[in-house]
Amino acid sequence: MTETPTVLSPTVEEPLEGLPPGFGEGLAGKAAFLIAVAFSSFQIYIAAYGSLPSQVVRAMHVGFLLLLGFGLIANLRATGIAAKAAFWTLGMLGFGTGLYNWIFYTDLIRRSGFLTTPDLIVGTLLVVLVFEAARRLMGLPLAVIAFIFLAYCFVGNHLPPPFIHRGYDFAQLVDTFAYGTEGIYGTPIYVSAAYIFIFVVFAAFLERAGMIALFNDFALGLVGSWRGGPAQVCVLSSALMGTISGSGVANVVASGQFTIPLMKRFGFRSAFAGAVEATSSMGGQIMPPVMGAVAFIMAETLNIPYAEVVKAAIIPALLYFGACFWQVHLEAGKANLHGMAKADLPDPWDAVRQHWPLVLPLAVLVYLLFAGYTPIFAGTMGLALTIVLILGAPLAALIGPSAFRVVFWLALGLAASSFMRFGVNILSLVIAALIVACITFKGGRETLRICVDSLAEGAKNALPVGIACAIVGVVIGTLTLTGIASTFIGWIISIGENNLFLSLLLTMLTCLVLGMGIPTIPNYIITSSLAGPALLSLGVPLLVSHMFVFYFGIMADLTPPVALAAFAAAPMARESGLKIGIQATKLAIAGFVVPFMAVYTPALMLQDAGPIAAQFGYPVEVAYIVVKACMGIVLWGAAAVGFLARRMAWWERLVAFAAGVLLVAALPLTDETGWALALLWIGGHCWRARQASAGDAA
């Protein structure tokens, strides 16, 4: 095996949700760093051994989030000594709420519903601190939306029907939001503590180990020479990054500094370059196997294996990125842009040969997920194997002959893989032995530093997700306690009885409007709680209805006027975020179309069979629907860009768009009409392009 020096190459940290890089200076900075390491260590231990009650784990998870979050705000954003001290105090109070739940766990269960005065004080403090942390770290809109729901609990009994509820006293509200499993410690924070955190740390270790370099080199070598090569590289590398990281806006910031200037240098317009980065980075949230944090919440909410969510997402994800590739190809043809010189590009397979060990943890992760193991087990094992790989690299480098290095890696691999038979303890022993060896031998301590840094970075990266999951628990608690969701559901059902498409359109607009102010996770949780049951009652399969909401939560970050991903790309593209958002909306056409197609033909997400399956078999139906979706993407991509074999007249774009609509409509005779119109139009367009070329040559 060839060792890779990139294993020991630290990466440059990017700003996170408004927080500057790093952990701060001096003693306070070291304290925040150690808290982050302790947070990751606590979560990894719980994931591996699970020796604490679920309620305690949730409470400590929120406690760590508050401590680290307020500590980083104090170190990185507060200016005066008094302000720094105040934020650290808030952080320690937040951590104290977690300890309170741990110490008095049994007592709290015994007096459930009959809280004491200290219980009320701690519970109230928790709610206030979560709101303040969300406001500071996630921005005002999410905190305002959650506050509106909380206020409804207090004043809803004074509202007119159908919004009136019976009213609740203060103690009952504190019990629901601060101690029950339907409030702050509800399903979202459970998923954050059990699954999401481990995968975020897993991604941090892979990035430190050099996975980003591998993805970039592979993408450059494979598609860099294609027409529009720099933009194709951006799409492919973002798709690959999506396999390990589901953070869209963070991916824009991380990879956009390299890809956007490269695209502009090769002739792409600034707005288009920024849109390619924003669109492809947001697509990482729907790219299996890891996907975004929403996928884990969805699996837990629907009580289905995570592999089922991954299975449903595979075809739509491929269509999404295929649409990006296609429109980049057309845009490059329209602007007469070429690819990069092959001589200047790395060999993609040489990059794989040099760094192939980094792919092993990801391969193990995929195998475990699809073999039926839980996400927490798969993520923990993938993380442990990554740590083994990083710790083993400097030791292998000390071994002279390559044959001995191969023997070393084989022995280490066999020892690590024995966890399948002997459990997690064997992996713990292997890691402990490697740590001792790294302390002893030359170069090992630098590797240990990389691992410790990865633990800290993973905890910091998990902050926005965790805080969002905590505050959205207030929304879920309100919906559960007051039953207001049933009012909204009844409204959707009454509309959908006459027109399902109108119900879907209303749900889509709800997602897009909510997404203007809040991230994908709370957007999905709120909208799926309201619209998911309504769509199910209208005959939409449950998983498809949740995926519908998930997709449009992502699209909200690309859709003007807010378009968070587009505005994140704006400084690097040196272009208006609004212009980038308009271009991104065109590029993400598959993200807007595929969810509607899946509702009417669920086989697109490998769900319920339709009439074609009854006659020809399920594989035939899936294949036909995929081909139809691809043709729709071809037509709409050409209509959006205004180019296929040559520049298109306005009426050609209109015909192409209409043919695409007919193919997607799923009504009687629309398929036949759409195919006929599409083939006639493509044939006629190509014939006119050939005639024009012949005329130019003459």
Side-chain angles (χ1 to χ4, degrees), residues 44-67:
I44 292 171
Y45 176 82
I46 293 300
Y49 295 100
S51 57
L52 288 177
S54 176
Q55 188 78 357
V56 172
V57 173
R58 301 180 199 202
M60 290 303 298
H61 184 73
V62 175
F64 267 116
L65 287 170
L66 294 173
L67 177 60

Side-chain angles (χ1 to χ4, degrees), residues 21-108:
F23 289 85
E25 298 178 350
L27 188 61
K30 291 179 181 177
F33 181 86
L34 291 175
I35 289 168
V37 173
F39 189 7
S40 290
S41 302
F42 171 79
Q43 291 292 158
I44 292 171
Y45 176 82
I46 293 300
Y49 295 100
S51 57
L52 288 177
S54 176
Q55 188 78 357
V56 172
V57 173
R58 301 180 199 202
M60 290 303 298
H61 184 73
V62 175
F64 267 116
L65 287 170
L66 294 173
L67 177 60
L68 181 59
F70 282 118
L72 289 176
I73 292 169
N75 290 355
L76 303 176
R77 297 214 323 225
T79 52
I81 295 177
K84 290 178 184 290
F87 282 120
W88 272 109
T89 301
L90 292 179
M92 287 185 281
L93 288 172
F95 189 70
T97 63
L99 291 177
Y100 187 86
N101 275 269
W102 192 351
I103 295 169
F104 298 104
Y105 170 68
T106 304
D107 296 332
L108 287 169

Side-chain angles (χ1 to χ4, degrees), residues 132 137 249 279 287 528 634:
E132 179 63 9
L137 293 170
V249 176
T279 307
M287 176 56 73
S528 64
V634 166

Side-chain angles (χ1 to χ4, degrees), residues 664-681:
V664 172
L667 297 172
L669 296 178
T670 54
D671 275 13
E672 293 84 345
T673 309
W675 278 113
L677 185 59
L679 294 175
L680 283 172
W681 174 79

Side-chain angles (χ1 to χ4, degrees), residues 529-596:
S529 300
L530 294 171
L535 295 178
L536 176 64
S537 66
L538 294 173
V540 181
L542 189 58
L543 180 55
V544 173
S545 67
H546 279 250
M547 291 293 285
F548 185 92
V549 171
F550 178 22
Y551 270 58
F552 284 111
I554 293 170
M555 293 302 104
D557 281 337
L558 298 174
T559 309
V562 177
L564 293 178
F567 279 91
M572 292 168 282
R574 301 192 178 185
E575 182 57 276
S576 159
L578 184 60
K579 291 182 180 178
I580 292 174
I582 293 170
Q583 288 290 332
T585 304
K586 293 180 183 178
L587 274 170
I589 192 166
F592 286 93
V593 174
V594 167
F596 281 93

Side-chain angles (χ1 to χ4, degrees), residues 593-675:
V593 174
V594 167
F596 281 93
M597 286 189 69
V599 168
Y600 290 102
T601 51
L604 189 63
M605 290 185 178
L606 302 178
Q607 298 301 302
D608 299 354
I612 298 177
Q615 189 171 357
F616 300 103
Y618 190 67
V620 173
E621 180 176 21
V622 172
Y624 172 72
I625 292 169
V626 170
V627 170
K628 190 171 72 162
C630 289
M631 178 56 77
I633 287 170
V634 166
L635 294 168
W636 278 335
V641 176
F643 183 88
L644 187 61
R646 65 167 188 164
R647 287 179 179 267
M648 294 160 53
W650 67 267
W651 64 268
E652 288 186 285
R653 299 173 77 166
L654 194 61
V655 171
F657 179 78
V661 170
L662 288 171
L663 285 173
V664 172
L667 297 172
L669 296 178
T670 54
D671 275 13
E672 293 84 345
T673 309
W675 278 113

Side-chain angles (χ1 to χ4, degrees), residues 264-283:
K264 290 176 65 177
R265 193 162 68 245
F266 275 80
F268 284 100
R269 294 175 290 117
S270 296
F272 188 81
V276 171
E277 177 58 53
T279 307
S280 52
S281 289
M282 291 309 297

